[in-house]
Amino acid sequence: MTAERPKSNRILPRWRAVLILAIILVGFVVVLTRDTDLQWWQDHTLRDQGRMRYMQDRPLPADRGVIYAGNGTALAVNVPAVTIWTDPRIFNQYRKDWDKVAAALNLSPQVLAERVQSGGSGFAYILRQGEPQMGKALNALHVPGIYVQATSRTYYPLGAVTTPLLGLVHLDHHGAAGLERGYDQWLAGHSGTEKVLVDGQGEVLRVLGARHAPVPGHDLHLTINPQIQYWAYMTLLAAQKHFGATEGSAVVMNVENGQILAMASVPSCNPNSRRGCGNPADYVNNAVHQAFEPGSVMKPFMVAAALKTGSIQPDQSFNVSHCLPVGGFCIRDDVVHHELNVAHILKYSSDIGAAKIALRTPAQAIYDMYRAAGFGKEPDLGFAGATGGVLPQPQTWDKARHATIALGYGVSVTTLQLAEGYAAIANGGYHVAPTLIEGQPVQKQRIMPANIAAHLRHWLEGVCAANGTGILAAIPGYAVAGKTGTANMANGKDGFQKNKTNATFVGFAPGFAPKLVMAVTMRGSTRYWNFGGVESAPVFRVTMRHALQELNISPRWCGGKACASKNKGITATQAEIWAEGGGN
């Protein structure tokens, strides 16, 4: 039998208890200190960081002002669009869904990846001003980290018909060209912001309230008539294609109040299609940004200066049978005539006759008439960078320049200036400042006596009659007055290109009581008979006929129908010869 061991009570060292208690106390102090630090000292910092992560200011886009035509038709409007953006920190975690996202946005996966990487660490644009259907398709996928924001974009109902005039708008809703750029401060709205609460994936949980409401832009009301604008553009485009012109422009204006009813330009582009206006040349307003040597359309203003100073008499005649030596070269006519009065010098566009009249007239008087008619002055219509052309000071004119400036060489003008100048002939001698914005006051100033303007109107009617250079501008039932101009384009080497021309026609109707003036210019044409009377006059005829009908300006009636031309036997060949200046 074994003896049982006695039980012993083991006593732990006192220092262990003290150590455990000390550790507990230190931990409690650390926790209490950290809690105090978080609750008191870092309270504002932590709350700010929390707000940064879960409370955000989201932009509220503002609508751009609408641009209206004179009859109330909208020319530039706002339509719904969406902006797609991403937070790459979240979106990168869902790469398995990128193919579906790319398909919904009509993007390739490669392009989507490039756009995600193109932004910062927390933000990148994927698509701006996209179709609303894309936003709906994307929201249906419920992919975290990519978001849809409702916005708007500018839509142009007439497309390419108005692009050079109205211009374009950047993705940031600011004007990039044309009137959109010139009146950007008026049209552009001011974006607002709203405070939202988001979750960890960036989804909006609650809108906390608007901080700043968006302020829409102001509307802009133009004097443009959309029907006349349409016909001016379409006929201009047809002429450009037929004659192979590099560019062209046309302006239709009310001769009494200066209101511009159409301002068309080619080439153009459709701003409503994505990447439709990639070439800057397609949205240049050639009517105000392109200056050119106009040729014979300047002759009526030189004649007006000569009549005003008494340098010639209205019934005076000149011998034009021989070339006129000036400054080492001889001024000639395309077709030989013998003796022409002032009316026939304009009708057949005789360079010899015009030069002889110019050399009788003081250079200062011709310059003053050109200047008073609007040449050499920049337009005040809201087009950034619009040109005033070139009009040399009369002190610099030698004999050769004195003669050739009267023929439309050595001076450069714009299509708008030509319409502006001819309006003064049409309305009885008053220069009227052109306007594009409705409600602007009429600014008139007499630049030639009424009797001189009446003489010119009558003589310019002859230009558009049989044997005249503007026969192709004639409109059945209406008296039409105008002038052709053809100038060879400069080659940049103190000479001229043989085959490329500036082809111009300027006219007004009805001739007995003019209401409308129209200037047409085609540049760089190389095909067929690229003269002003052949190339530009038909653009005038088609557009002006529609404009007169649009404004309910009736033709002259002969019995029960509109008066027809008395020259029914004119052949197409004869018309072309007359348009070139050949007469009979």
Side-chain angles (χ1 to χ4, degrees):
M1 182 172 180
T2 57
E4 186 176 324
R5 270 184 174 183
K7 295 181 179 180
S8 62
N9 293 326
R10 186 180 180 186
I11 300 175
L12 295 175
R14 188 183 181 95
W15 63 268
R16 289 188 180 185
V18 173
L19 178 61
I20 292 172
L21 183 60
I23 292 173
I24 293 172
L25 289 175
V26 169
F28 178 76
V29 170
V30 170
V31 171
L32 182 62
T33 303
R34 179 58 176 166
D35 182 65
T36 302
D37 179 55
L38 295 176
Q39 293 289 335
W40 295 93
W41 306 113
Q42 296 192 43
D43 176 66
H44 294 294
T45 302
L46 293 175
R47 288 182 182 274
D48 289 342
Q49 290 182 359
R51 280 192 289 266
M52 289 174 60
R53 287 175 170 83
Y54 300 107
M55 294 180 61
Q56 298 179 0
D57 287 331
R58 294 284 177 90
L60 294 173
D63 283 340
R64 193 169 174 83
V66 178
I67 301 179
Y68 291 99
N71 63 357
T73 300
L75 300 177
V77 298
N78 296 293
V79 296
V82 292
T83 293
I84 312 296
W85 63 277
T86 181
D87 184 338
R89 295 170 300 184
I90 300 173
F91 193 48
N92 281 330
Q93 301 174 26
Y94 298 88
R95 286 182 175 270
K96 60 182 176 58
D97 296 318
W98 281 23
D99 287 348
K100 294 187 294 184
V101 170
L105 300 179
N106 292 329
L107 300 175
S108 68
Q110 293 78 12
V111 171
L112 176 62
E114 290 173 1
R115 295 185 182 181
V116 172
Q117 297 169 5
S118 65
S121 60
F123 181 91
Y125 278 119
I126 302 301
L127 183 67
R128 303 180 72 177
Q129 295 187 1
E131 297 294 334
Q133 294 84 345
M134 293 182 179
K136 293 179 180 178
L138 186 61
N139 283 332
L141 298 177
H142 300 290
V143 178
I146 188 164
Y147 311 105
V148 178
Q149 179 183 7
T151 182
S152 64
R153 64 182 177 90
T154 303
Y155 178 79
Y156 301 91
L158 293 185
V161 173
T162 55
T163 301
L165 169 65
L166 301 182
L168 305 170
V169 176
H170 285 304
L171 291 174
D172 62 0
H173 293 277
H174 285 285
L179 293 176
E180 293 277 22
R181 178 182 176 187
Y183 285 91
D184 185 62
Q185 290 187 347
W186 178 261
L187 289 165
H190 298 282
S191 299
T193 57
E194 65 178 0
K195 191 180 292 295
V196 296
L197 182 67
V198 299
D199 61 16
Q201 295 181 340
E203 298 292 340
V204 176
L205 298 175
R206 184 158 48 107
V207 176
L208 300 179
R211 178 178 294 180
H212 297 292
V215 179
H218 300 89
D219 295 339
L220 189 65
H221 294 264
L222 305 183
T223 59
I224 292 296
N225 182 298
Q227 290 295 327
I228 301 175
Q229 176 77 19
Y230 172 82
W231 281 108
Y233 172 77
M234 294 305 294
T235 53
L236 197 66
L237 181 63
Q240 181 202 20
K241 292 180 178 178
H242 182 73
F243 289 95
T246 57
E247 59 202 42
S249 57
V251 174
V252 181
M253 194 172 96
N254 184 305
V255 303
E256 294 295 336
N257 56 26
Q259 289 187 352
I260 296 172
L261 304 181
M263 182 178 283
S265 185
V266 292
S268 184
C269 56
N270 184 0
N272 300 319
S273 64
R274 188 167 294 277
R275 298 174 183 172
C277 291
N279 185 353
D282 289 343
Y283 49 86
V284 170
N285 188 348
N286 292 311
V288 295
H289 286 104
Q290 184 63 258
F292 54 92
E293 289 185 314
S296 297
V297 288
M298 299 300 289
K299 291 174 182 175
F301 301 100
M302 178 274 299
V303 171
L307 291 170
K308 187 176 180 180
T309 58
S311 303
I312 62 169
Q313 297 303 313
D315 58 353
Q316 195 165 344
S317 297
F318 297 85
N319 188 320
V320 296
S321 59
H322 302 288
C323 73
L324 178 66
V326 176
F329 66 95
C330 225
I331 296 177
R332 305 175 184 273
D333 287 339
D334 292 331
V335 177
V336 177
H337 299 278
H338 295 286
E339 188 169 299
L340 298 176
N341 60 21
V342 180
H344 286 113
I345 286 173
L346 291 175
K347 181 173 183 175
Y348 300 130
S349 199
S350 170
D351 286 349
I352 298 173
K356 285 189 172 184
I357 295 174
L359 292 174
R360 285 171 170 253
T361 308
Q364 186 68 49
I366 298 175
Y367 173 87
D368 289 344
M369 180 58 69
Y370 283 4
R371 187 78 179 174
F375 301 112
K377 300 178 181 178
E378 294 182 6
D380 184 21
L381 294 177
F383 295 103
T387 180
V390 176
L391 180 59
Q393 292 291 326
Q395 297 84 355
T396 66
W397 298 9
D398 55 16
K399 186 177 181 181
R401 176 168 284 189
H402 191 154
T404 55
I405 279 183
L407 307 180
Y409 286 93
V411 58
S412 66
V413 304
T414 65
T415 307
L416 172 65
Q417 288 174 340
L418 289 172
E420 177 183 353
Y422 272 74
I425 299 173
N427 66 27
Y430 289 94
H431 172 264
V432 183
T435 61
L436 261 175
I437 309 301
E438 277 200 337
Q440 290 186 332
V442 179
Q443 299 180 33
K444 274 188 173 183
Q445 183 177 3
R446 180 171 288 283
I447 64 172
M448 66 180 74
N451 66 317
I452 292 178
H455 279 305
L456 288 172
R457 285 198 305 273
H458 177 67
W459 293 337
L460 292 176
E461 278 193 51
V463 174
C464 301
N467 299 342
T469 60
I471 182 63
L472 297 184
I475 304 173
Y478 294 91
V480 173
K483 185 73 186 74
T484 60
T486 305
N488 290 326
M489 293 181 65
N491 60 12
K493 301 177 182 178
D494 297 326
F496 298 93
Q497 302 183 50
K498 292 183 179 180
N499 298 321
K500 290 188 176 182
T501 62
N502 297 319
T504 304
F505 181 85
V506 193
F508 44 84
F512 58 89
K515 302 295 183 185
L516 302 177
V517 63
M518 180 178 185
V520 182
T521 301
M522 303 297 295
R523 302 189 71 246
S525 307
T526 57
R527 301 178 192 161
Y528 311 114
W529 296 51
N530 54 344
F531 299 96
V534 176
E535 187 176 352
S536 297
V539 177
F540 170 92
R541 181 185 72 246
V542 175
T543 304
M544 184 60 74
R545 179 170 61 86
H546 285 281
L548 294 170
Q549 293 173 351
E550 171 71 14
L551 300 180
N552 294 318
I553 300 174
S554 301
R556 291 181 297 181
W557 292 92
C558 297
K561 60 182 180 179
C563 300
S565 171
K566 297 179 181 179
N567 305 285
K568 296 181 180 179
I570 297 175
T571 67
T573 301
Q574 286 174 318
E576 288 184 345
I577 292 174
W578 287 326
E580 187 190 359
N584 287 321

